[in-house]
Amino acid sequence: MTLHNGTTTVSGGYWAGLGLPGLDVHWPTLVGSGLLCQLLFAAVGALSARFVPTYRALGPVARFDWGMKAVSLVHALAVSLLSVPVLCDPSLRADKMFAHSYYAGALCAITSGYFVWDTIVSAMQIRTNGIGMVIHGIFSLSVFLFAQ
């Protein structure tokens, strides 16, 4: 299936039927982003246990939070840096409300993947951190899904 802007979809229009046409093109980016977040989470735990004495003294809940904060920080820095070209895109500047670009959609998919991951891991820690972080993840995910 080809979208109105000439971009070929990967999923044959499935997501457009659900009101999320951007995912027809960007769902692999979303999935890859979520998987990369989990890989980073695991790597941070392993590297911190080996090289950071303070980390070794932490309990399991604090270690989990350490990993979540590290992934959040890396995501925020990466997406902030990757967003600079969007600010300079003339087509997006011309119509700030309805313009769209493939690159901006990919950035939304990266952030959506992060919030899928964040919601899942927050749900895993719901007894410790409460429902607030799960709700935050769900609503943030919704914003970026519909922005595509």
Side-chain angles (χ1 to χ4, degrees):
M1 176 177 184
T2 303
L3 298 179
H4 68 284
N5 64 1
T7 307
T8 303
T9 67
V10 179
S11 63
Y14 173 79
W15 293 105
L18 295 175
L20 300 168
L23 282 183
D24 280 334
V25 176
H26 296 294
W27 71 264
T29 303
L30 185 150
V31 171
S33 172
L35 292 174
L36 188 60
C37 287
Q38 183 57 33
L39 180 65
L40 180 60
F41 181 78
V44 163
L47 291 171
S48 295
R50 181 170 171 102
F51 297 111
V52 182
T54 308
Y55 180 84
R56 286 178 245 154
L58 298 175
V61 172
R63 286 182 180 201
F64 196 89
D65 286 344
W66 176 296
M68 285 192 70
K69 288 175 183 173
V71 174
S72 174
L73 176 65
V74 170
H75 169 262
L77 291 172
V79 170
S80 293
L81 291 172
L82 292 170
S83 295
V84 171
V86 171
L87 299 172
C88 302
D89 187 324
S91 66
L92 296 177
R93 294 179 89 180
D95 183 0
K96 292 180 175 67
M97 189 66 152
F98 297 107
H100 184 271
S101 74
Y102 180 86
Y103 187 77
L107 287 175
C108 285
I110 290 168
T111 298
S112 295
Y114 164 76
F115 279 118
V116 167
W117 174 84
D118 181 65
T119 301
I120 291 168
V121 296
S122 293
M124 292 169 54
Q125 290 293 103
I126 201 163
R127 287 188 179 158
T128 306
N129 296 332
I131 190 79
M133 293 308 295
V134 176
I135 292 170
H136 171 266
I138 291 169
F139 280 107
S140 298
L141 173 61
S142 299
V143 167
F144 284 95
L145 282 177
F146 289 110
Q148 293 188 51

